[in-house]
């Protein structure tokens, strides 16, 4: 199959920079357009991103001299691309308007923004888990009146550290789950240079994050009925989210009870053997092992483990029986890779492999 022409909306931002890096020499996708706000239209990518470049490696050569277009110039951007990766910081209503406009212009939208996460016919994709939700795209295309254009969203970065475990153990019917997340500053698009108040600090509030962390896993655990996605109503989650002085990597402490309690051996077997389309089809950004289980009592650690499998693996440790709940464990995932741009690229690779981009 020939390469799909893609654009990156919000290419100058923290998540956008990751997309620019991950899509270098991609076997399925060719980056044709980079977009940012009207403030940067007409500048080269290199000029616009300037000292805001926050990746470990240099700006890829292919992107340096590309001249930026406006995210909102849907008419002209759509002529150049078949798919856009969207990671823009704007008001929800504005994001909804332009993402839907791209879909109506027959462009596939893979979004990192939360604007459409609650659409009943918009899959919120964790590619190893709920690919069956892609069936809802038919309903969405009918609603939008499109042939090729549709929107798929990526869930919030915080939930990747525990939702894959709950999903892998779905047959045991998780019922109650209490979580605390310890979230990195890059999750807010910031670094220690741009957010010096975070050095040696913890901020006990992240706007909107607890609601997303409690509700989004329910949609992922849900089923498609009559063409639309119906969230699970058998699981209840309570979550506290705090910002910690870490650059990359969201940690979660989790307590969970089940209707049918698995043994510890069953728990470990299910999560370590769990895999999905990305592993079966050996997709370019798929981790070989999706969920890594650590037996050492001081793992997973952000500094040692967050980049495992290119930042695309989920790391679990400290699995023990709990006094109040069935089990407790600790999870870790990379928030701008698995939790943002990497998850977006893997979602698009999954769409490609399953024939949704033909
Ligand atoms: N950081 C994470 O770990 C993470 C994880 C999951 C999801 N997300 C989501 O991804 C999105 C982007 O996050 P980020 O951290 O990358 O933000 P960011 O670093 O602040 O970047 C924001 C991007 O949006 C563009 N933008 C801002 N105002 C605009 C406007 N009026 N018109 C067009 N473009 C505009 C900016 O372009 P200019 O440079 O021209 O201003 C920039 O490219 C957000 O919705 C965020 O919630 C982030």
């Amino acid at each position: 199959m020939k390469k799909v022409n893609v654009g990156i909306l919000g290419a100058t931002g923290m998540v956008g920079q990751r997309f620019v890096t991950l899509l270098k020499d991609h076997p399925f996708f060719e980056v044709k357009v980079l977009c940012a706000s009207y403030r940067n239209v007409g500048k080269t990518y290199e000029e616009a991103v300037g000292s805001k470049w926050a990746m470990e490696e240099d700006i890829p050569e292919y992107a340096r001299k590309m001249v930026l277009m406006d995210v909102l110039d849907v008419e002209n951007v759509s002529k150049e691309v078949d798919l856009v990766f969207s990671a823009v910081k704007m008001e929800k209503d504005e994001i909804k308007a332009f993402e839907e406009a791209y879909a109506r212009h027959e462009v596939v939208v893979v979004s990192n923004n939360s604007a459409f996460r609650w659409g009943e016919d918009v899959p919120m994709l964790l590619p190893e888990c709920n690919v069956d939700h892609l069936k809802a795209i038919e309903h969405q295309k009918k609603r939008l009146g499109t042939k090729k254009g549709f929107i798929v969203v990526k869930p919030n970065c915080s939930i990747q550290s525990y939702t894959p475990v709950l999903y892998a153990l779905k047959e045991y019917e998780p019922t109650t789950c209490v979580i605390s997340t310890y979230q990195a500053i890059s999750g807010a698009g910031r670094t220690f240079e741009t957010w010096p108040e975070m050095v040696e600090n913890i901020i006990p509030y992240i706007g909107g994050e607890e609601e997303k962390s409690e509700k989004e896993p329910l949609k992922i655990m849900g089923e498609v009925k009559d063409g639309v996605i119906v969230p699970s109503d058998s699981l209840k989650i309570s979550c506290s989210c705090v910002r910690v002085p870490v650059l990359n990597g969201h940690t979660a402490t989790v307590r969970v009870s089940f209707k049918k309690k698995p043994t510890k051996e069953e728990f470990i077997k299910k999560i370590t053997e769990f895999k999905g389309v990305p592993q079966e089809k050996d997709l370019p950004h798929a981790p070989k092992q999706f969920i890594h289980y650590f037996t050492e009592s001081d793992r997973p650690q952000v500094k040692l483990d967050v980049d495992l499998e290119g930042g695309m693996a989920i790391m679990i440790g400290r699995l023990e029986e709990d006094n109040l709940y069935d089990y407790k464990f600790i999870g870790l995932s990379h928030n701008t890779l698995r939790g943002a741009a990497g998850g977006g690229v893997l979602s698009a690779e999954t769409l490609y492999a399953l024939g949704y981009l033909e």
Side-chain angles (χ1 to χ4, degrees), residues 9-16 35-40 48 52 70-72 86-90 94-95 112-114 117 154-157 186-190 212 250 335-336 339-340:
L9 311 180
T12 48
M14 185 70 93
V15 180
C35 298
S37 73
Y38 60 89
R39 294 178 286 272
N40 282 314
K52 281 196 304 180
D70 189 340
V71 169
L72 301 182
S86 178
V88 175
K89 218 167 246 177
M90 282 169 82
E94 295 173 302
I95 292 176
N112 273 67
N113 307 306
S114 60
R117 286 196 194 140
K154 223 201 54 50
N156 195 50
C157 47
S186 61
R190 312 280 282 276
K212 291 176 193 164
H250 290 351
N335 55 294
T336 64

mmCIF file of all heavy atoms in Angstrom, residues 9-16 35-40 48 52 70-72 86-90 94-95 112-114 117 154-157 186-190 212 250 335-336 339-340, ligand 1:
data_model
loop_
_atom_site.group_PDB
_atom_site.id
_atom_site.type_symbol
_atom_site.label_atom_id
_atom_site.label_comp_id
_atom_site.label_asym_id
_atom_site.label_seq_id
_atom_site.Cartn_x
_atom_site.Cartn_y
_atom_site.Cartn_z
ATOM 1 N N LEU A 9 -1.229 18.902 13.320
ATOM 2 C CA LEU A 9 -1.858 20.144 13.784
ATOM 3 C C LEU A 9 -1.353 20.415 15.202
ATOM 4 O O LEU A 9 -1.510 19.564 16.082
ATOM 5 C CB LEU A 9 -3.385 20.011 13.800
ATOM 6 C CG LEU A 9 -4.060 19.439 12.537
ATOM 7 C CD1 LEU A 9 -5.584 19.392 12.731
ATOM 8 C CD2 LEU A 9 -3.708 20.284 11.307
ATOM 9 N N GLY A 10 -0.742 21.581 15.406
ATOM 10 C CA GLY A 10 -0.124 21.863 16.712
ATOM 11 C C GLY A 10 1.315 21.370 16.731
ATOM 12 O O GLY A 10 1.831 20.962 17.777
ATOM 13 N N ALA A 11 1.968 21.421 15.564
ATOM 14 C CA ALA A 11 3.307 20.819 15.407
ATOM 15 C C ALA A 11 4.371 21.491 16.267
ATOM 16 O O ALA A 11 5.400 20.880 16.565
ATOM 17 C CB ALA A 11 3.720 20.879 13.934
ATOM 18 N N THR A 12 4.131 22.741 16.687
ATOM 19 C CA THR A 12 5.149 23.454 17.474
ATOM 20 C C THR A 12 5.052 23.136 18.964
ATOM 21 O O THR A 12 5.939 23.501 19.731
ATOM 22 C CB THR A 12 4.992 24.983 17.280
ATOM 23 O OG1 THR A 12 3.596 25.302 17.447
ATOM 24 C CG2 THR A 12 5.455 25.427 15.914
ATOM 25 N N GLY A 13 3.974 22.477 19.406
ATOM 26 C CA GLY A 13 3.771 22.200 20.832
ATOM 27 C C GLY A 13 4.551 20.990 21.309
ATOM 28 O O GLY A 13 5.263 20.338 20.543
ATOM 29 N N MET A 14 4.382 20.692 22.597
ATOM 30 C CA MET A 14 5.113 19.577 23.216
ATOM 31 C C MET A 14 4.747 18.246 22.545
ATOM 32 O O MET A 14 5.621 17.458 22.183
ATOM 33 C CB MET A 14 4.760 19.543 24.711
ATOM 34 C CG MET A 14 5.501 18.537 25.507
ATOM 35 S SD MET A 14 7.237 18.971 25.682
ATOM 36 C CE MET A 14 7.233 19.864 27.215
ATOM 37 N N VAL A 15 3.450 18.016 22.373
ATOM 38 C CA VAL A 15 3.025 16.755 21.748
ATOM 39 C C VAL A 15 3.341 16.789 20.250
ATOM 40 O O VAL A 15 3.819 15.803 19.677
ATOM 41 C CB VAL A 15 1.512 16.502 21.992
ATOM 42 C CG1 VAL A 15 1.072 15.200 21.341
ATOM 43 C CG2 VAL A 15 1.212 16.469 23.486
ATOM 44 N N GLY A 16 3.126 17.947 19.618
ATOM 45 C CA GLY A 16 3.418 18.102 18.196
ATOM 46 C C GLY A 16 4.881 17.800 17.880
ATOM 47 O O GLY A 16 5.191 17.151 16.866
ATOM 48 N N CYS A 35 1.295 22.367 10.919
ATOM 49 C CA CYS A 35 0.420 23.517 11.211
ATOM 50 C C CYS A 35 0.581 23.979 12.649
ATOM 51 O O CYS A 35 0.801 23.170 13.555
ATOM 52 C CB CYS A 35 -1.049 23.129 11.036
ATOM 53 S SG CYS A 35 -1.499 22.617 9.386
ATOM 54 N N ALA A 36 0.426 25.295 12.822
ATOM 55 C CA ALA A 36 0.414 25.878 14.167
ATOM 56 C C ALA A 36 -0.616 27.004 14.162
ATOM 57 O O ALA A 36 -1.508 27.022 13.309
ATOM 58 C CB ALA A 36 1.812 26.368 14.528
ATOM 59 N N SER A 37 -0.484 27.951 15.110
ATOM 60 C CA SER A 37 -1.461 29.047 15.167
ATOM 61 C C SER A 37 -1.136 30.080 14.095
ATOM 62 O O SER A 37 -0.055 30.064 13.500
ATOM 63 C CB SER A 37 -1.405 29.711 16.543
ATOM 64 O OG SER A 37 -0.228 30.474 16.642
ATOM 65 N N TYR A 38 -2.081 31.028 13.918
ATOM 66 C CA TYR A 38 -1.875 32.133 12.959
ATOM 67 C C TYR A 38 -0.571 32.889 13.276
ATOM 68 O O TYR A 38 0.043 33.464 12.401
ATOM 69 C CB TYR A 38 -3.082 33.099 13.010
ATOM 70 C CG TYR A 38 -3.274 33.706 14.390
ATOM 71 C CD1 TYR A 38 -2.636 34.893 14.738
ATOM 72 C CD2 TYR A 38 -4.031 33.052 15.363
ATOM 73 C CE1 TYR A 38 -2.781 35.421 16.007
ATOM 74 C CE2 TYR A 38 -4.167 33.569 16.637
ATOM 75 C CZ TYR A 38 -3.542 34.759 16.961
ATOM 76 O OH TYR A 38 -3.649 35.262 18.230
ATOM 77 N N ARG A 39 -0.131 32.835 14.554
ATOM 78 C CA ARG A 39 1.091 33.567 14.949
ATOM 79 C C ARG A 39 2.325 33.070 14.213
ATOM 80 O O ARG A 39 3.292 33.800 14.049
ATOM 81 C CB ARG A 39 1.336 33.399 16.464
ATOM 82 C CG ARG A 39 0.304 34.038 17.352
ATOM 83 C CD ARG A 39 0.613 33.772 18.827
ATOM 84 N NE ARG A 39 0.323 32.390 19.232
ATOM 85 C CZ ARG A 39 -0.862 31.963 19.668
ATOM 86 N NH1 ARG A 39 -1.859 32.810 19.784
ATOM 87 N NH2 ARG A 39 -1.062 30.706 20.006
ATOM 88 N N ASN A 40 2.294 31.824 13.788
ATOM 89 C CA ASN A 40 3.489 31.234 13.168
ATOM 90 C C ASN A 40 3.345 30.913 11.679
ATOM 91 O O ASN A 40 4.264 30.350 11.081
ATOM 92 C CB ASN A 40 3.878 29.965 13.935
ATOM 93 C CG ASN A 40 4.597 30.308 15.226
ATOM 94 O OD1 ASN A 40 5.503 31.160 15.219
ATOM 95 N ND2 ASN A 40 4.211 29.694 16.324
ATOM 96 N N ALA A 48 9.905 28.841 13.880
ATOM 97 C CA ALA A 48 8.753 28.943 14.773
ATOM 98 C C ALA A 48 8.997 28.216 16.093
ATOM 99 O O ALA A 48 8.653 28.721 17.159
ATOM 100 C CB ALA A 48 7.523 28.364 14.087
ATOM 101 N N LYS A 52 11.857 26.580 21.873
ATOM 102 C CA LYS A 52 10.824 25.729 22.511
ATOM 103 C C LYS A 52 11.051 24.244 22.218
ATOM 104 O O LYS A 52 10.356 23.394 22.768
ATOM 105 C CB LYS A 52 9.424 26.106 21.967
ATOM 106 C CG LYS A 52 8.837 27.355 22.595
ATOM 107 C CD LYS A 52 7.345 27.463 22.325
ATOM 108 C CE LYS A 52 7.000 27.420 20.851
ATOM 109 N NZ LYS A 52 5.601 27.529 20.509
ATOM 110 N N ASP A 70 -1.799 27.348 8.827
ATOM 111 C CA ASP A 70 -2.685 27.594 9.969
ATOM 112 C C ASP A 70 -3.562 26.355 10.194
ATOM 113 O O ASP A 70 -4.172 25.846 9.241
ATOM 114 C CB ASP A 70 -3.564 28.821 9.644
ATOM 115 C CG ASP A 70 -4.370 29.306 10.834
ATOM 116 O OD1 ASP A 70 -4.563 28.516 11.792
ATOM 117 O OD2 ASP A 70 -4.804 30.469 10.807
ATOM 118 N N VAL A 71 -3.619 25.900 11.439
ATOM 119 C CA VAL A 71 -4.500 24.774 11.809
ATOM 120 C C VAL A 71 -5.911 25.010 11.278
ATOM 121 O O VAL A 71 -6.594 24.072 10.834
ATOM 122 C CB VAL A 71 -4.556 24.647 13.358
ATOM 123 C CG1 VAL A 71 -5.652 23.694 13.791
ATOM 124 C CG2 VAL A 71 -3.203 24.245 13.929
ATOM 125 N N LEU A 72 -6.348 26.268 11.300
ATOM 126 C CA LEU A 72 -7.746 26.577 10.946
ATOM 127 C C LEU A 72 -7.980 26.710 9.442
ATOM 128 O O LEU A 72 -9.120 26.891 9.010
ATOM 129 C CB LEU A 72 -8.190 27.867 11.658
ATOM 130 C CG LEU A 72 -8.104 27.802 13.191
ATOM 131 C CD1 LEU A 72 -8.606 29.102 13.812
ATOM 132 C CD2 LEU A 72 -8.902 26.621 13.741
ATOM 133 N N SER A 86 -3.876 15.551 15.534
ATOM 134 C CA SER A 86 -4.280 16.825 16.118
ATOM 135 C C SER A 86 -3.832 16.919 17.579
ATOM 136 O O SER A 86 -4.188 16.060 18.394
ATOM 137 C CB SER A 86 -5.799 16.957 16.003
ATOM 138 O OG SER A 86 -6.243 18.139 16.599
ATOM 139 N N ALA A 87 -3.043 17.942 17.906
ATOM 140 C CA ALA A 87 -2.590 18.178 19.294
ATOM 141 C C ALA A 87 -2.465 19.679 19.495
ATOM 142 O O ALA A 87 -1.379 20.246 19.455
ATOM 143 C CB ALA A 87 -1.255 17.480 19.536
ATOM 144 N N VAL A 88 -3.608 20.312 19.693
ATOM 145 C CA VAL A 88 -3.671 21.783 19.708
ATOM 146 C C VAL A 88 -4.240 22.243 21.032
ATOM 147 O O VAL A 88 -5.196 21.645 21.540
ATOM 148 C CB VAL A 88 -4.593 22.254 18.546
ATOM 149 C CG1 VAL A 88 -4.793 23.748 18.586
ATOM 150 C CG2 VAL A 88 -4.000 21.840 17.202
ATOM 151 N N LYS A 89 -3.668 23.307 21.587
ATOM 152 C CA LYS A 89 -4.236 23.845 22.825
ATOM 153 C C LYS A 89 -5.169 24.988 22.495
ATOM 154 O O LYS A 89 -4.730 26.093 22.186
ATOM 155 C CB LYS A 89 -3.115 24.293 23.767
ATOM 156 C CG LYS A 89 -3.437 23.983 25.200
ATOM 157 C CD LYS A 89 -2.242 24.128 26.093
ATOM 158 C CE LYS A 89 -1.816 22.786 26.673
ATOM 159 N NZ LYS A 89 -0.631 22.867 27.491
ATOM 160 N N MET A 90 -6.455 24.714 22.492
ATOM 161 C CA MET A 90 -7.480 25.744 22.222
ATOM 162 C C MET A 90 -8.711 25.389 23.039
ATOM 163 O O MET A 90 -8.760 24.338 23.677
ATOM 164 C CB MET A 90 -7.848 25.728 20.726
ATOM 165 C CG MET A 90 -6.841 26.406 19.829
ATOM 166 S SD MET A 90 -7.176 26.066 18.086
ATOM 167 C CE MET A 90 -8.444 27.241 17.708
ATOM 168 N N GLU A 94 -13.781 25.257 19.951
ATOM 169 C CA GLU A 94 -13.000 25.582 18.742
ATOM 170 C C GLU A 94 -12.376 24.300 18.174
ATOM 171 O O GLU A 94 -12.346 24.094 16.961
ATOM 172 C CB GLU A 94 -11.893 26.584 19.082
ATOM 173 C CG GLU A 94 -12.399 27.941 19.529
ATOM 174 C CD GLU A 94 -11.264 28.839 20.028
ATOM 175 O OE1 GLU A 94 -10.552 28.461 20.971
ATOM 176 O OE2 GLU A 94 -11.094 29.916 19.456
ATOM 177 N N ILE A 95 -11.889 23.440 19.075
ATOM 178 C CA ILE A 95 -11.284 22.175 18.625
ATOM 179 C C ILE A 95 -12.343 21.301 17.943
ATOM 180 O O ILE A 95 -12.120 20.759 16.856
ATOM 181 C CB ILE A 95 -10.621 21.423 19.804
ATOM 182 C CG1 ILE A 95 -9.398 22.222 20.296
ATOM 183 C CG2 ILE A 95 -10.224 20.010 19.409
ATOM 184 C CD1 ILE A 95 -8.709 21.654 21.510
ATOM 185 N N ASN A 112 -5.428 14.014 19.851
ATOM 186 C CA ASN A 112 -4.942 13.922 21.223
ATOM 187 C C ASN A 112 -5.755 14.814 22.150
ATOM 188 O O ASN A 112 -5.523 14.832 23.348
ATOM 189 C CB ASN A 112 -3.483 14.380 21.293
ATOM 190 C CG ASN A 112 -2.553 13.251 21.021
ATOM 191 O OD1 ASN A 112 -2.527 12.752 19.913
ATOM 192 N ND2 ASN A 112 -1.817 12.829 22.021
ATOM 193 N N ASN A 113 -6.646 15.585 21.563
ATOM 194 C CA ASN A 113 -7.432 16.523 22.358
ATOM 195 C C ASN A 113 -8.638 15.797 22.964
ATOM 196 O O ASN A 113 -9.082 14.783 22.447
ATOM 197 C CB ASN A 113 -7.913 17.676 21.463
ATOM 198 C CG ASN A 113 -6.745 18.304 20.726
ATOM 199 O OD1 ASN A 113 -5.768 18.704 21.341
ATOM 200 N ND2 ASN A 113 -6.836 18.352 19.414
ATOM 201 N N SER A 114 -9.186 16.379 24.039
ATOM 202 C CA SER A 114 -10.275 15.681 24.730
ATOM 203 C C SER A 114 -11.650 16.044 24.175
ATOM 204 O O SER A 114 -12.649 15.461 24.586
ATOM 205 C CB SER A 114 -10.221 15.992 26.228
ATOM 206 O OG SER A 114 -10.358 17.384 26.414
ATOM 207 N N ARG A 117 -13.891 13.122 23.094
ATOM 208 C CA ARG A 117 -13.743 11.818 23.768
ATOM 209 C C ARG A 117 -15.074 11.204 24.181
ATOM 210 O O ARG A 117 -15.177 10.003 24.362
ATOM 211 C CB ARG A 117 -12.815 11.949 24.982
ATOM 212 C CG ARG A 117 -11.368 12.094 24.560
ATOM 213 C CD ARG A 117 -10.403 11.847 25.690
ATOM 214 N NE ARG A 117 -9.086 12.326 25.286
ATOM 215 C CZ ARG A 117 -8.247 12.967 26.068
ATOM 216 N NH1 ARG A 117 -8.565 13.197 27.330
ATOM 217 N NH2 ARG A 117 -7.081 13.361 25.621
ATOM 218 N N LYS A 154 -7.578 9.683 21.177
ATOM 219 C CA LYS A 154 -6.703 8.958 22.082
ATOM 220 C C LYS A 154 -7.129 9.326 23.498
ATOM 221 O O LYS A 154 -7.484 10.462 23.743
ATOM 222 C CB LYS A 154 -5.288 9.487 21.836
ATOM 223 C CG LYS A 154 -4.219 8.463 21.771
ATOM 224 C CD LYS A 154 -2.902 9.121 22.041
ATOM 225 C CE LYS A 154 -2.903 9.882 23.317
ATOM 226 N NZ LYS A 154 -3.371 9.274 24.528
ATOM 227 N N PRO A 155 -7.130 8.366 24.412
ATOM 228 C CA PRO A 155 -7.529 8.723 25.782
ATOM 229 C C PRO A 155 -6.493 9.607 26.476
ATOM 230 O O PRO A 155 -5.376 9.783 25.989
ATOM 231 C CB PRO A 155 -7.638 7.369 26.482
ATOM 232 C CG PRO A 155 -6.851 6.420 25.662
ATOM 233 C CD PRO A 155 -6.830 6.934 24.262
ATOM 234 N N ASN A 156 -6.871 10.131 27.631
ATOM 235 C CA ASN A 156 -5.985 10.983 28.424
ATOM 236 C C ASN A 156 -4.727 10.213 28.850
ATOM 237 O O ASN A 156 -4.778 9.001 29.092
ATOM 238 C CB ASN A 156 -6.768 11.438 29.665
ATOM 239 C CG ASN A 156 -6.098 12.583 30.354
ATOM 240 O OD1 ASN A 156 -5.745 13.567 29.729
ATOM 241 N ND2 ASN A 156 -5.884 12.451 31.642
ATOM 242 N N CYS A 157 -3.623 10.967 28.966
ATOM 243 C CA CYS A 157 -2.340 10.311 29.288
ATOM 244 C C CYS A 157 -2.357 9.595 30.645
ATOM 245 O O CYS A 157 -1.722 8.561 30.811
ATOM 246 C CB CYS A 157 -1.204 11.322 29.236
ATOM 247 S SG CYS A 157 -1.548 12.860 30.095
ATOM 248 N N SER A 186 5.632 17.486 31.822
ATOM 249 C CA SER A 186 5.472 17.554 30.361
ATOM 250 C C SER A 186 4.025 17.286 29.962
ATOM 251 O O SER A 186 3.598 17.655 28.875
ATOM 252 C CB SER A 186 6.416 16.581 29.653
ATOM 253 O OG SER A 186 6.135 15.259 30.054
ATOM 254 N N GLY A 187 3.258 16.688 30.863
ATOM 255 C CA GLY A 187 1.830 16.465 30.623
ATOM 256 C C GLY A 187 1.072 17.781 30.502
ATOM 257 O O GLY A 187 -0.025 17.829 29.953
ATOM 258 N N ALA A 188 1.658 18.848 31.036
ATOM 259 C CA ALA A 188 1.041 20.174 30.900
ATOM 260 C C ALA A 188 1.743 20.968 29.808
ATOM 261 O O ALA A 188 1.609 22.196 29.732
ATOM 262 C CB ALA A 188 1.138 20.923 32.226
ATOM 263 N N GLY A 189 2.540 20.285 28.972
ATOM 264 C CA GLY A 189 3.271 20.967 27.895
ATOM 265 C C GLY A 189 4.418 21.813 28.433
ATOM 266 O O GLY A 189 4.855 22.753 27.772
ATOM 267 N N ARG A 190 4.927 21.486 29.657
ATOM 268 C CA ARG A 190 5.938 22.337 30.283
ATOM 269 C C ARG A 190 7.230 21.578 30.556
ATOM 270 O O ARG A 190 7.262 20.348 30.544
ATOM 271 C CB ARG A 190 5.402 22.877 31.632
ATOM 272 C CG ARG A 190 4.001 23.452 31.583
ATOM 273 C CD ARG A 190 3.960 24.855 31.036
ATOM 274 N NE ARG A 190 4.370 25.838 32.015
ATOM 275 C CZ ARG A 190 3.570 26.375 32.939
ATOM 276 N NH1 ARG A 190 2.299 26.006 33.022
ATOM 277 N NH2 ARG A 190 4.028 27.280 33.771
ATOM 278 N N LYS A 212 -11.527 12.869 34.063
ATOM 279 C CA LYS A 212 -11.100 12.074 32.896
ATOM 280 C C LYS A 212 -10.557 10.717 33.356
ATOM 281 O O LYS A 212 -10.825 9.681 32.744
ATOM 282 C CB LYS A 212 -9.995 12.811 32.125
ATOM 283 C CG LYS A 212 -10.468 14.061 31.423
ATOM 284 C CD LYS A 212 -9.284 14.767 30.784
ATOM 285 C CE LYS A 212 -9.648 16.169 30.338
ATOM 286 N NZ LYS A 212 -8.468 16.991 30.076
ATOM 287 N N HIS A 250 4.076 9.223 34.008
ATOM 288 C CA HIS A 250 2.995 9.288 34.991
ATOM 289 C C HIS A 250 2.966 7.963 35.759
ATOM 290 O O HIS A 250 2.835 6.886 35.164
ATOM 291 C CB HIS A 250 1.641 9.460 34.297
ATOM 292 C CG HIS A 250 1.421 10.800 33.662
ATOM 293 N ND1 HIS A 250 2.255 11.881 33.836
ATOM 294 C CD2 HIS A 250 0.405 11.240 32.869
ATOM 295 C CE1 HIS A 250 1.774 12.928 33.163
ATOM 296 N NE2 HIS A 250 0.662 12.557 32.561
ATOM 297 N N ASN A 335 4.120 9.681 29.417
ATOM 298 C CA ASN A 335 2.926 10.477 29.091
ATOM 299 C C ASN A 335 2.956 11.138 27.723
ATOM 300 O O ASN A 335 1.903 11.292 27.095
ATOM 301 C CB ASN A 335 2.675 11.527 30.170
ATOM 302 C CG ASN A 335 3.870 12.407 30.421
ATOM 303 O OD1 ASN A 335 4.894 11.923 30.895
ATOM 304 N ND2 ASN A 335 3.771 13.674 30.084
ATOM 305 N N THR A 336 4.144 11.533 27.207
ATOM 306 C CA THR A 336 4.108 12.157 25.869
ATOM 307 C C THR A 336 4.356 11.132 24.762
ATOM 308 O O THR A 336 4.137 11.427 23.598
ATOM 309 C CB THR A 336 5.083 13.350 25.710
ATOM 310 O OG1 THR A 336 6.408 12.882 25.841
ATOM 311 C CG2 THR A 336 4.802 14.436 26.724
ATOM 312 N N GLY A 339 1.346 7.971 26.155
ATOM 313 C CA GLY A 339 0.173 8.746 26.578
ATOM 314 C C GLY A 339 -0.246 9.834 25.605
ATOM 315 O O GLY A 339 -1.305 10.430 25.771
ATOM 316 N N ALA A 340 0.576 10.141 24.604
ATOM 317 C CA ALA A 340 0.196 11.232 23.691
ATOM 318 C C ALA A 340 0.603 10.870 22.261
ATOM 319 O O ALA A 340 -0.063 10.058 21.611
ATOM 320 C CB ALA A 340 0.793 12.554 24.154
HETATM 321 N N1 LIG B 1 1.554 17.051 26.943
HETATM 322 C C1 LIG B 1 0.972 15.866 27.115
HETATM 323 O O1 LIG B 1 1.544 14.925 27.698
HETATM 324 C C2 LIG B 1 -0.397 15.608 26.578
HETATM 325 C C3 LIG B 1 -0.913 14.316 26.691
HETATM 326 C C4 LIG B 1 -2.144 14.008 26.132
HETATM 327 C C5 LIG B 1 -2.871 15.004 25.503
HETATM 328 N N2 LIG B 1 -2.385 16.281 25.416
HETATM 329 C C6 LIG B 1 -3.224 17.263 24.719
HETATM 330 O O2 LIG B 1 -2.597 17.624 23.484
HETATM 331 C C7 LIG B 1 -2.891 18.995 23.169
HETATM 332 C C8 LIG B 1 -1.599 19.763 22.978
HETATM 333 O O3 LIG B 1 -0.858 19.719 24.192
HETATM 334 P P1 LIG B 1 0.645 20.261 24.288
HETATM 335 O O4 LIG B 1 1.104 19.881 25.640
HETATM 336 O O5 LIG B 1 1.433 19.826 23.105
HETATM 337 O O6 LIG B 1 0.378 21.873 24.176
HETATM 338 P P2 LIG B 1 1.425 23.032 23.809
HETATM 339 O O7 LIG B 1 2.824 22.587 23.988
HETATM 340 O O8 LIG B 1 0.963 24.244 24.545
HETATM 341 O O9 LIG B 1 1.166 23.253 22.214
HETATM 342 C C9 LIG B 1 -0.021 23.797 21.750
HETATM 343 C C10 LIG B 1 -0.084 23.819 20.217
HETATM 344 O O10 LIG B 1 -1.354 24.385 19.844
HETATM 345 C C11 LIG B 1 -1.132 25.467 18.912
HETATM 346 N N3 LIG B 1 -2.142 26.516 19.114
HETATM 347 C C12 LIG B 1 -2.367 27.250 20.223
HETATM 348 N N4 LIG B 1 -3.340 28.176 19.980
HETATM 349 C C13 LIG B 1 -3.727 28.005 18.696
HETATM 350 C C14 LIG B 1 -4.692 28.650 17.850
HETATM 351 N N5 LIG B 1 -5.440 29.668 18.274
HETATM 352 N N6 LIG B 1 -4.826 28.207 16.565
HETATM 353 C C15 LIG B 1 -4.078 27.178 16.099
HETATM 354 N N7 LIG B 1 -3.124 26.539 16.847
HETATM 355 C C16 LIG B 1 -2.964 26.936 18.138
HETATM 356 C C17 LIG B 1 0.248 26.003 19.243
HETATM 357 O O11 LIG B 1 0.766 26.718 18.140
HETATM 358 P P3 LIG B 1 1.731 28.041 18.352
HETATM 359 O O12 LIG B 1 3.090 27.516 18.716
HETATM 360 O O13 LIG B 1 1.693 28.703 17.037
HETATM 361 O O14 LIG B 1 1.109 28.844 19.447
HETATM 362 C C18 LIG B 1 0.996 24.698 19.538
HETATM 363 O O15 LIG B 1 1.410 24.107 18.331
HETATM 364 C C19 LIG B 1 -3.763 19.520 24.320
HETATM 365 O O16 LIG B 1 -5.115 19.368 23.962
HETATM 366 C C20 LIG B 1 -3.413 18.582 25.462
HETATM 367 O O17 LIG B 1 -4.458 18.499 26.402
HETATM 368 C C21 LIG B 1 -1.160 16.606 25.932
#
